[in-house]
Amino acid sequence: MKVILVEDVKSLGKKGDIVNVSDGYARNMLFPKKLGLEATSKNINDLKLQRAHEDKVAKEQLDAAQAFKAELETKEVTVSIKVGENGRTFGSISTKELAEAAKEQLGYDIDKKKMQLSSPIKELGTTKVPIRLHPKVTAELKVVVKEA
């Protein structure tokens, strides 16, 4: 029996796959647990329409992320930090502080978890912080660190 998987099923396939399974496995395991649908022409057509819609939504999200990247890379965020003798800084600037500064100065609500800062910023000057906006789009935010 041909079955369209509604969920990922271990050792069988991923969501949306059309697989061939025994009648008993389909009736006793997949259908009662809502893991699959019978592969009728209507269900196959619905699957095609759903995939087309998901592709369209994914393309729109990618385009929006690329547009936001272009806008974000023209901006900069200024953050201040206490500095002692010999230009030595007290503490560091983390992604949480960068996200707050971006919201306050630019009005962008950027998730701190999407900022890919390898280590906290501990020196004065300009730093580019990579921000993952989409799996295929990474923007760089210019961060200027000044003395408080």
Side-chain angles (χ1 to χ4, degrees), residues 7-60:
E7 301 281 330
D8 290 353
V9 179
K10 192 173 182 178
S11 75
L12 194 57
K14 299 222 178 264
K15 177 181 177 181
D17 289 350
I18 298 175
V19 294
N20 204 3
V21 296
S22 67
D23 292 353
Y25 184 67
R27 278 195 304 269
N28 296 326
M29 170 68 177
L30 298 177
F31 297 158
K33 291 187 177 182
K34 309 266 190 250
L35 297 175
L37 295 171
E38 188 174 355
T40 62
S41 59
K42 179 195 178 299
N43 288 341
I44 291 173
N45 191 32
D46 289 345
L47 176 66
K48 287 179 185 175
L49 291 173
Q50 183 180 6
R51 282 186 180 164
H53 176 70
E54 288 172 357
D55 291 343
K56 181 182 172 191
V57 169
K59 184 171 180 356
E60 288 173 356

Side-chain angles (χ1 to χ4, degrees), residues 32 37 51 59 61 74 80 106 108 117 120 144:
L37 295 171
R51 282 186 180 164
K59 184 171 180 356
Q61 289 176 342
T74 62
S80 59
L106 305 176
Y108 297 141
L117 196 59
V144 178

Side-chain angles (χ1 to χ4, degrees), residues 45-126:
N45 191 32
D46 289 345
L47 176 66
K48 287 179 185 175
L49 291 173
Q50 183 180 6
R51 282 186 180 164
H53 176 70
E54 288 172 357
D55 291 343
K56 181 182 172 191
V57 169
K59 184 171 180 356
E60 288 173 356
Q61 289 176 342
L62 179 63
D63 292 343
Q66 288 173 337
F68 186 58
K69 173 187 175 182
E71 187 178 332
L72 191 64
E73 289 184 340
T74 62
K75 310 281 182 172
E76 72 176 38
V77 173
T78 305
V79 183
S80 59
I81 189 170
K82 288 186 180 180
V83 179
E85 294 178 14
N86 303 326
R88 189 177 173 115
T89 60
F90 293 114
S92 61
I93 298 172
S94 66
T95 56
K96 179 181 178 185
E97 294 162 329
L98 289 176
E100 290 171 358
K103 181 157 178 93
E104 180 182 307
Q105 295 173 19
L106 305 176
Y108 297 141
D109 195 15
I110 302 172
D111 187 9
K112 68 178 184 176
K113 294 174 187 152
K114 295 188 181 206
M115 292 184 187
Q116 298 175 322
L117 196 59
S118 58
S119 62
I121 302 171
K122 294 184 179 184
E123 66 273 343
L124 299 177
T126 304

